[in-house]
Amino acid sequence: KQQLGYSVGCCTRDSDGVLGFSIYVLSAVQRPPVLLERVQAFLKDFVLQLKNFSAEKFASHAVGLAGKWLEPKRTLAELHSSCWSEIAFATPPIFDRTERDAAVLGTVRQEEVVELFEKYIAPGSSSRAVLTTAVVPKAGASATEVTALAEHLEKDGLVTAIVSNEIDFRAQSEMHAARL
């Protein structure tokens, strides 16, 4: 509902078997500390909304999501991408995954979703792991702004490391072993 930028959204991700939830905001209007604050406020508010959904509203969202998943692929590229993802990343490939996922979605209870959200996504959870990336123009990034962003994260109990380039990132990070 807020005008934070011209591209705002969220998605799930699977990074080498590590499941995640991403929120992205691309803005020429607000700076990273403000955007992070608004995202955190949204997450705190959303868990309350999720808890207060009526059973009918929750079921309606589940049916709508299942319908979206079950929409037929409209182009050869969509079908190719879906099949190739199964071949490349699933062991064994499950070519009817969307049908199976939609069937499981019908068994998910609202309490389970709230519990998952509070445990892994909601700010303040001890099980939550967060990676925040803020990209700003070199000319526009002041030390004060970077410090403000780090302090905001630390206020929520998160450990921060300010990295200004890829070499610093690699030096500060424990990376997975190289694949052969």
Side-chain angles (χ1 to χ4, degrees):
K1 294 180 182 180
Q2 299 178 29
Q3 297 300 314
L4 299 178
Y6 53 86
S7 180
V8 178
C10 63
C11 62
T12 57
R13 40 185 289 136
D14 180 344
S15 301
D16 296 314
V18 178
L19 299 178
F21 176 73
S22 297
I23 295 176
Y24 54 90
V25 182
L26 179 63
S27 178
V29 179
Q30 297 289 349
R31 304 300 289 174
V34 173
L35 297 174
L36 179 63
E37 183 179 304
R38 302 284 174 81
V39 167
Q40 297 287 76
F42 165 77
L43 291 173
K44 288 175 184 173
D45 181 58
F46 184 74
V47 73
L48 297 175
Q49 290 181 35
L50 190 56
K51 287 179 180 180
N52 293 324
F53 274 2
S54 67
E56 295 79 23
K57 185 172 184 176
F58 184 81
S60 172
H61 280 284
V63 167
L65 183 57
K68 182 178 179 182
W69 287 350
L70 293 172
E71 285 180 3
K73 307 294 185 247
R74 289 185 166 73
T75 67
L76 185 58
E78 287 178 351
L79 183 60
H80 175 268
S81 175
S82 173
C83 292
W84 190 249
S85 293
E86 287 298 328
I87 293 166
F89 302 114
T91 308
I94 303 170
F95 294 106
D96 63 343
R97 183 178 305 276
T98 54
E99 291 82 0
R100 292 181 186 200
D101 287 349
V104 170
L105 184 61
T107 68
V108 174
R109 296 186 343 266
Q110 183 173 356
E111 299 80 23
E112 294 171 321
V113 175
V114 170
E115 181 182 336
L116 180 129
F117 190 90
E118 287 180 325
K119 185 172 183 178
Y120 296 108
I121 300 172
S125 169
S126 61
S127 300
R128 181 181 189 221
V130 177
L131 172 65
T132 301
T133 306
V135 180
V136 294
K138 277 192 174 186
S142 71
T144 305
E145 184 177 36
V146 172
T147 303
L149 182 60
E151 287 172 353
H152 184 78
L153 290 166
E154 290 166 354
K155 182 175 63 177
D156 286 334
L158 301 172
V159 177
T160 62
I162 298 170
V163 181
S164 59
N165 59 55
E166 184 179 356
I167 294 169
D168 290 348
F169 171 75
R170 292 188 182 281
Q172 293 181 26
S173 301
E174 293 181 30
M175 305 299 271
H176 294 285
R179 292 185 181 183
L180 302 175

